[in-house]
Amino acid sequence: MKAAIIGGGVIGGGWAARFLLNGWDVAVFDPDPQAARKIGEVLANARAALPQLSDTGLPAEGHLSFAGSVAEAVTGADYIQESVSEQLALKHRVFAEIQGAAPDVPLGSSTSGFKPSELQQGAVSPGVIFVAHPFNPVYLLPLVEIVPSVASTQGFTDGVLELLRDIGMFPLQVRKEIDAHIGDRLLEALWREALWLVKDGIATTEEIDDVIRMSFGLRWAQMGLFETYRIAGGEAGMKHFMEQFGPALAWPWTKLMDVPEFTDELVDLIAGQSDAQSGHHTIRDLERIRDGNLVAFLRALKDRDWGAGKVFNDHDRRLAAQGDITNTTETVLAATKLVVLPSWIDYNGHMTESRYLFAGSQIVDAFLARIGAGLDYVAAGHSYYTAETHIRHLGEAKLGAHLTGTVQVLSHDEKRLHIWMTLTRDTDGAEVATIEQMLLHVDMAAGRTCAAEARVLKTLDDIARTQAGLPRPAAAGRHVGQGRDDA
């Protein structure tokens, strides 16, 4: 698959990184002679951050190229994203060039303000032009506002939504076209109020940022606005909140209907305070701080399968479904892909002991799902419980390392499953660990072992037959402290 990115600034570079790290080839056109350097810096940030949010491993990175013209960039593209300056006349000229070479390819615009009907004016194929407004950094934040017009069919739009889900985004179709869509209208309201607070000497830029990041910003990141206010209404919920605080909307608190005069004095005041607040950091420093914090937030939300974290979990599941899923005719089951995350690293700079066990549990969960004993099986009242585990630590795994776990069935019967897992580094195939495990099949309600269902046992029988030619691992059954020569 190929994506064409027209405009290689911060947003265009973020789009390029998002597609590349999800396995797409990307062609970029930007007349700026510094475009390659700028995109390279964005891509370096993305390579350091996005893989930390994938528990299955991202696809092999696509190929990045820089085109000499718009036509060269879009030729053969499956998707086109325009991210040029926010000037309608310029966008129209660029769209004409794009559609001169690729008239039928989906063409999203990163515009933060224009409506799709405005973008489509004079276009050869207006129905394939739509708003695809992301948020910075595009390679980490999942939301993209999709705004079609009446010229686009719902079938076409559904295809775009699915395409963007495949690269890990959360495409939200806006119900009606409107200036600035949804997100920027909300941000503009807060921005106006903040400008007044600084202009009137009530707060500095740093104090306003502190108010946001130390309070409602944390709530918004995981519950949004209305769900947060629902909780504020107590047991009576949103209706009580509205009745209690609704009258305050008539009070003269806000200056949202007015804009402070944008004078040189106001610009200098805000710029000076911002320099005092953050000027000791370079922009690249701030980007890395931002990305690191976002990864930490998103990892926490992933663990809870909530909000933006659920989007990343859904993407993991999509990647797993699209990948090389091994079936029972293969000799060794590729159980899962793993990436070594910051929280897995100890003071020695490599993967800590507890995470080897965690990796084993991930491998086992994937294996059980593939033999028909996954979450649905557990919900019906049966599961495999771990009775004994022996881990051998054979090699180092450092931050960002991509690992693959494989499973060999050593023996099984109606109630017992004895498996051997091997964890290897993808870069060189070196063994990082082996994990030997005995599992017992349990009736969860009764709290005792019982025979597994016939379909599960049949799948295990099939796997055992296909693996019959594999040698038994020399270290299987060894005890702690046993010498390598005695294995």
Side-chain angles (χ1 to χ4, degrees):
M1 301 289 283
K2 175 186 174 182
I5 307 299
I6 309 302
V10 172
I11 297 299
W15 274 111
R18 169 69 76 166
F19 277 105
L20 278 167
L21 294 181
N22 279 280
W24 284 53
D25 293 333
V26 172
V28 176
F29 173 76
D30 191 313
D32 181 358
Q34 297 296 313
R37 177 188 63 80
K38 293 176 181 177
I39 286 183
E41 291 175 348
V42 173
L43 188 54
N45 286 346
R47 286 175 177 143
L50 186 59
Q52 298 182 44
L53 290 165
S54 175
D55 293 330
T56 59
L58 294 171
E61 186 174 313
H63 174 70
L64 173 64
S65 61
F66 290 88
S69 66
V70 168
E72 180 186 347
V74 303
T75 298
D78 300 285
Y79 180 86
I80 303 167
Q81 185 70 26
E82 167 272 311
S83 301
V84 303
S85 300
E86 199 76 344
Q87 302 170 38
L88 188 57
L90 172 62
K91 290 183 183 291
H92 285 160
R93 291 198 299 273
V94 169
F95 291 161
E97 285 191 66
I98 291 171
Q99 295 202 324
D104 301 320
V105 179
L107 172 50
S109 174
S110 298
T111 179
S112 57
F114 294 123
K115 299 190 290 287
S117 59
E118 295 172 317
L119 298 173
Q120 294 167 349
Q121 292 169 1
V124 172
S125 302
V128 301
I129 297 174
F130 55 94
V131 171
H133 176 241
F135 290 79
N136 189 37
V138 182
Y139 52 82
L140 280 184
L141 298 185
L143 179 66
V144 53
E145 295 174 315
I146 301 300
V147 193
S149 78
V150 293
S152 302
T153 67
Q154 187 57 49
F156 169 81
T157 301
D158 288 343
V160 169
L161 298 176
E162 189 65 15
L163 182 153
L164 293 170
R165 290 188 190 103
D166 279 343
I167 60 169
M169 303 197 81
F170 182 81
L172 177 69
Q173 183 174 345
V174 179
R175 294 171 182 270
K176 297 179 182 180
E177 64 172 18
I178 185 173
D179 294 325
H181 328 312
I182 298 174
D184 277 354
R185 293 179 73 90
L186 297 173
L187 290 172
E188 178 72 8
L190 186 61
W191 172 242
R192 290 188 183 204
E193 202 64 32
L195 291 179
W196 276 115
L197 291 170
V198 174
K199 182 179 185 299
D200 291 345
I202 294 166
T204 65
T205 59
E206 184 171 13
E207 289 164 350
I208 291 171
D209 284 349
D210 281 343
V211 166
I212 295 170
R213 60 191 170 201
M214 301 296 178
S215 63
F216 57 81
L218 293 171
R219 298 189 312 206
W220 285 358
Q222 47 91 31
M223 297 203 91
L225 179 66
F226 286 101
E227 201 162 45
T228 294
Y229 283 164
R230 179 179 180 84
I231 294 173
E235 293 182 358
M238 180 60 81
K239 184 174 183 180
H240 174 68
F241 176 84
M242 295 292 290
E243 291 171 346
Q244 184 175 4
F245 295 100
L249 295 174
W251 298 350
W253 280 6
T254 182
K255 294 187 177 183
L256 288 182
M257 302 310 295
D258 299 314
V259 182
E261 186 178 356
F262 215 68
T263 63
D264 290 341
E265 290 77 13
L266 178 60
V267 171
D268 289 343
L269 176 63
I270 290 176
Q273 289 185 7
S274 179
D275 288 345
Q277 174 185 350
S278 306
H280 57 290
H281 293 296
T282 68
I283 293 299
R284 294 292 170 254
D285 287 340
L286 288 172
E287 287 175 345
R288 285 187 284 270
I289 292 168
R290 174 202 64 194
D291 288 0
N293 290 336
L294 284 172
V295 167
F297 291 155
L298 290 165
R299 287 300 317 180
L301 292 173
K302 278 197 71 162
D303 290 344
R304 290 155 181 79
D305 201 33
W306 184 264
K310 186 177 185 303
V311 175
F312 282 90
N313 284 336
D314 288 344
H315 189 43
D316 282 347
R317 287 185 278 269
R318 279 174 172 264
L319 290 175
Q322 294 168 3
D324 296 328
I325 302 301
T326 325
N327 59 42
T328 58
T329 64
E330 295 185 74
T331 56
V332 177
L333 283 171
T336 192
K337 295 283 188 177
L338 298 168
V339 179
V340 179
L341 304 172
S343 61
W344 295 22
I345 300 301
D346 63 14
Y347 49 80
N348 293 315
H350 50 67
M351 190 164 149
T352 193
E353 289 90 340
S354 64
R355 289 299 175 172
Y356 285 87
L357 183 60
F358 175 78
S361 70
Q362 295 288 94
I363 296 167
V364 170
D365 284 349
F367 178 77
L368 293 177
R370 289 171 185 171
I371 66 171
L375 293 179
D376 290 343
Y377 192 74
V378 173
H382 294 90
S383 184
Y384 278 94
Y385 286 8
T386 302
E388 187 175 352
T389 302
H390 183 196
I391 302 176
R392 294 191 307 151
H393 303 271
L394 303 176
E396 291 187 351
K398 297 187 176 181
L399 178 64
H402 289 251
L403 308 175
T404 297
T406 56
V407 176
Q408 180 179 351
V409 176
L410 299 182
S411 67
H412 72 287
D413 58 27
E414 289 185 338
K415 298 181 181 180
R416 293 178 297 181
L417 174 59
H418 186 190
I419 60 174
W420 178 269
M421 291 171 273
T422 304
L423 193 63
T424 58
R425 283 194 301 260
D426 289 359
T427 52
D428 57 7
E431 289 188 355
V432 172
T434 63
I435 306 168
E436 185 176 358
Q437 201 160 73
M438 177 66 76
L439 300 99
L440 301 177
H441 189 268
V442 173
D443 181 324
M444 298 167 67
R448 62 174 181 266
T449 59
C450 68
E453 290 187 10
R455 60 184 177 85
V456 173
L457 293 173
K458 181 181 183 306
T459 305
L460 283 171
D461 287 340
D462 292 341
I463 293 171
R465 275 194 300 273
T466 58
Q467 294 183 347
L470 289 177
R472 184 179 177 86
R478 62 173 281 140
H479 60 75
V480 173
Q482 182 177 338
R484 292 192 180 212
D485 293 339
D486 300 328

